[in-house]
Amino acid sequence: MTFRPVTATSLAKPAMEGAGVHLHRVFGFGDPSETDPFLMMDDFRNDDPRLYEKGFPWHPHRGIETITYVLEGEVEHGDSLGNRGTLGAGSVQWMTAGSGIMHQEMPRGNAAGQMHGFQLWANLPSSLKMTAPRYQDISASDIPEIIDDDGTRVKVVTGGFWGKRGPVDGIAADPLYLDVSVPPGVKKSLPVDTRANAFAYVFAGAGRFSDAADPIGVRVEKEVAGQELNIRDLSGNRTLVRFGNGDEVTVQAGPDGVRFLLVAGRPIQEPVAWHGPIVMNTRAELQQAMRDLQNGTFIRSEH
């Protein structure tokens, strides 16, 4: 096994989207080759309904797939395919925008007003940019959870892991998308496709991701007196950790444990022409999408 080194860490940055939803952007609108086939990821987390309740009113998408994972609260959604529904806590929505779709997402908090979820954008290869839109809702009860002997818990949203397969399938990027919880002090190695780009996003607790004695920006030491775990410079809340090549990711959980998303997918390695919610391969294709929006032909009736 070859452990993946940490190549970069960064904190998610505050941003505002939709009709005034306060969220944190994990990555996006930078160099897409760094996270290929993934384009963007947002962490929408708040306990003040005024900062999220206006939601994401009707807007278009073309050329991408979106994976929305809700931890707390609910998201009411609707789209131009006629789908309507509510994503509850622990559930997942997968949408292939393909040739074009209009949809809206309206978050609602739980009884305490808390709302928390993630949205990940995955690129579509040129051969599937104009494919028919598809859509799927997955309830929390359908997402398999694996509990290892050391207490590590892994929810498998997409992809195959430890003999289980996530219920979301048909995604062009064929990603691995895991929700991983590692107990305090436990060191865990997780297999990842060596040909895939991979990242972790820590959203609770803290941990050390490493393959060597002195990983980038992360260190765990034991004090001589009392042998207490002294954690410094750990990857904590809202930290993105990007990895180099290898087929395993190793994490050492801090004193409060660590919970993170582990995401991996094989790069598409194609040109990206990107404007807001529309991602194509060329500027000419982007311009055509804008014309389609203006003249009412964005939604393809032939599908």
Side-chain angles (χ1 to χ4, degrees), residues 166-223:
V168 182
D169 59 12
I171 300 178
D174 192 22
L176 179 70
Y177 189 126
L178 308 177
D179 177 350
V180 182
S181 299
V182 182
V186 170
K187 185 175 184 179
K188 201 70 182 174
S189 292
L190 308 168
V192 176
D193 180 358
T194 188
R195 292 169 289 181
N197 279 336
F199 67 85
Y201 179 63
V202 179
F203 62 94
R208 167 200 183 193
F209 294 85
S210 69
D211 73 326
D214 189 20
I216 294 177
V218 180
R219 184 176 300 135
V220 178
E221 296 177 353
K222 281 191 174 181
E223 293 180 351

Side-chain angles (χ1 to χ4, degrees), residues 45 71 116 118 179 201-205 237-238 259-261:
R45 182 189 333 184
L71 294 184
H116 191 190
F118 308 98
D179 177 350
Y201 179 63
V202 179
F203 62 94
N237 185 26
R238 293 197 175 103
R259 187 176 180 187
F260 58 94
L261 302 180

Side-chain angles (χ1 to χ4, degrees), residues 64-260:
I64 64 170
E65 300 188 271
T66 66
I67 303 98
T68 305
Y69 179 32
V70 177
L71 294 184
E72 297 288 349
E74 298 177 336
V75 177
E76 292 183 350
H77 62 85
D79 63 41
S80 54
L81 300 177
N83 295 299
R84 299 287 186 276
T86 301
L87 291 172
S91 62
V92 174
Q93 177 198 89
W94 157 57
M95 182 191 73
T96 302
S99 62
I101 198 168
M102 302 287 294
H103 78 154
Q104 68 171 352
E105 300 156 303
M106 307 302 288
R108 293 192 316 218
N110 59 17
Q114 298 168 324
M115 178 69 221
H116 191 190
F118 308 98
Q119 186 168 92
L120 176 68
W121 290 14
N123 200 6
L124 280 169
S126 57
S127 60
L128 295 175
K129 287 288 188 187
M130 299 300 287
T131 193
R134 297 178 62 196
Y135 169 90
Q136 188 177 9
D137 264 354
I138 303 294
S139 65
S141 60
D142 291 328
I143 298 175
E145 182 175 36
I146 306 164
I147 304 176
D148 208 5
D149 293 342
D150 58 11
T152 297
R153 307 171 77 97
V154 180
K155 294 181 180 181
V156 186
V157 177
T158 70
F161 188 79
W162 285 350
K164 299 286 186 180
R165 186 148 194 98
V168 182
D169 59 12
I171 300 178
D174 192 22
L176 179 70
Y177 189 126
L178 308 177
D179 177 350
V180 182
S181 299
V182 182
V186 170
K187 185 175 184 179
K188 201 70 182 174
S189 292
L190 308 168
V192 176
D193 180 358
T194 188
R195 292 169 289 181
N197 279 336
F199 67 85
Y201 179 63
V202 179
F203 62 94
R208 167 200 183 193
F209 294 85
S210 69
D211 73 326
D214 189 20
I216 294 177
V218 180
R219 184 176 300 135
V220 178
E221 296 177 353
K222 281 191 174 181
E223 293 180 351
V224 176
Q227 293 294 299
E228 293 180 1
L229 197 62
N230 179 29
I231 310 292
R232 300 184 204 156
D233 303 324
L234 284 184
S235 294
N237 185 26
R238 293 197 175 103
T239 299
L240 171 69
V241 182
R242 288 174 31 217
F243 303 102
N245 296 327
D247 51 20
E248 278 196 348
V249 166
T250 300
V251 60
Q252 166 86 49
D256 298 319
V258 63
R259 187 176 180 187
F260 58 94

Side-chain angles (χ1 to χ4, degrees), residues 3-4 12 34 53 57 71 83 85 97 140 149 198 214 239 262 268-269:
F3 296 112
R4 285 178 175 250
E34 292 181 349
E53 62 188 0
L71 294 184
N83 295 299
D149 293 342
D214 189 20
T239 299
L262 179 60
I268 296 172
Q269 296 180 320

